[in-house]
Amino acid sequence: MEVKDFIENENKLKNLYYIYSADNYLRDEFKDKFIDKFVEENIRDFNLSIVQPGEDYFKKLSNAVQTPPLGSKKRFVISQLEAEDSFDKKAQQKLISIIENLDKTTCLLFLSSNSLDKRKKLYLTIKKKGSYFEFKAPKYGNLDKWIVRRFREHNKKIDKRSIKVLENMFSNKLEILATEIEKIITRFPDKEKISYYDIKDLISRERFIEDEEIFAFLDLIGEKKTDKALISLKEMLNKGVYPLYLLTMLANQIELLMQVKYYSQFTKNNKEIAKKINKHPYPVKKALQRSRNFTQLELERILEEILTANYHFLTGYYPEQNTALEMIIIKAINY
């Protein structure tokens, strides 16, 4: 369930909510939509308190929830909450006491990047007093829908190819995705349908060029085209791609190829492999095609060279990194 759906379906306000999400965007989205729906704008100055973790946290939280509402039936308190294991037993008991003695005129909302142990008293107390809910960043088809919905909210459509490009570049990092989508919408205010050709020269241009060229570069290595691979390498380096960044990108791709090649022994279905390795099906599909150019032993040797080079780069063993990178690629192609 998306945050928007949860808020829309929450018609009877509870006295307590504990919202867990590892994704900062989802926590912020919940807070904003919660305030928009339940906290009338004209009472926010007097009846909405934000309590942040830090010194005297429990004292501040206790004072906030004990303060009666002014000119309203409800007072709202929103607090970022740290992991429960970061509190000692005394602190946990203080928190439990605050929750157990929560007045009916107060609505307390906890937002946390940490889930609770469902066997412990804190979780059981929250469930008894209010609502505990977890939101996870969407994946696969749900991420497709999430992107489509963000464009639809601005009366825009986006083609499938553009969706896959966004997912391939930013995965399900919602905060970054939302920023890029906002950038696209701002750039094309009057355009109803956004295409791949619209976003190609817009979204994080430097990264887009690097990723696209790195994927093509990897193909040249797999096809054993030494001359073309070295030309491609020099072009990327001339554009300012750092050798260490390039090594990291290559290492990530080689590791993906190794995983995909292993599971391809059992299935050629990219969606099944994606579930096994917890990746989006789109990059897995591409990796499945590229993996045919390598044996597993070749991939292992290339990765070993890259990791060794990465270590030498960090320790300063290779003073001329560009030349060293060329030698590494030549060795990789000749395996």
Side-chain angles (χ1 to χ4, degrees), residues 151 165-166 169-170 179-189 194-209:
F151 279 94
V165 168
L166 286 168
M169 289 176 65
F170 307 111
T179 299
E180 296 298 332
I181 290 171
E182 184 66 30
K183 190 189 299 181
I184 294 166
I185 290 166
T186 303
R187 175 63 179 81
F188 301 103
I194 306 298
S195 73
Y196 166 79
Y197 299 101
D198 294 324
I199 72 171
K200 185 176 184 296
D201 295 322
L202 180 63
I203 54 172
S204 292
R205 182 171 174 78
E206 293 81 8
R207 178 173 177 174
F208 187 85
I209 291 172

Side-chain angles (χ1 to χ4, degrees), residues 97-217:
S97 178
I98 289 172
I99 293 170
E100 288 179 333
N101 293 291
L102 198 61
D103 192 87
K104 290 182 179 180
T105 61
T106 298
C107 175
L108 174 57
L109 166 62
F110 287 118
L111 299 167
S112 181
S113 59
N114 301 281
S115 60
L116 295 179
D117 188 331
K118 294 178 175 58
R119 300 166 298 176
K120 292 187 177 180
K121 188 175 180 181
L122 179 57
Y123 170 81
L124 297 173
T125 304
I126 289 171
K127 285 290 289 182
K128 182 179 178 181
K129 193 75 176 180
S131 178
Y132 176 94
F133 207 83
E134 300 184 358
F135 290 98
K136 295 180 180 179
K139 294 181 178 180
Y140 315 125
N142 288 331
L143 184 56
D144 291 357
K145 293 175 184 176
W146 187 91
I147 292 172
V148 169
R149 177 179 280 191
R150 291 306 168 276
F151 279 94
R152 191 185 299 140
E153 287 172 355
H154 296 271
N155 299 315
K156 294 188 184 298
K157 298 178 181 178
I158 182 169
D159 62 27
K160 290 184 178 180
R161 187 178 181 188
S162 298
I163 292 172
K164 295 307 176 187
V165 168
L166 286 168
E167 291 178 356
N168 191 35
M169 289 176 65
F170 307 111
S171 186
N172 62 344
K173 298 179 178 67
L174 301 187
E175 201 162 8
I176 300 174
L177 266 174
T179 299
E180 296 298 332
I181 290 171
E182 184 66 30
K183 190 189 299 181
I184 294 166
I185 290 166
T186 303
R187 175 63 179 81
F188 301 103
D190 301 321
K191 193 159 190 176
E192 184 181 343
K193 186 169 184 179
I194 306 298
S195 73
Y196 166 79
Y197 299 101
D198 294 324
I199 72 171
K200 185 176 184 296
D201 295 322
L202 180 63
I203 54 172
S204 292
R205 182 171 174 78
E206 293 81 8
R207 178 173 177 174
F208 187 85
I209 291 172
E210 290 169 17
D211 284 358
E212 288 294 305
E213 292 190 7
I214 285 170
F215 296 149
F217 175 57

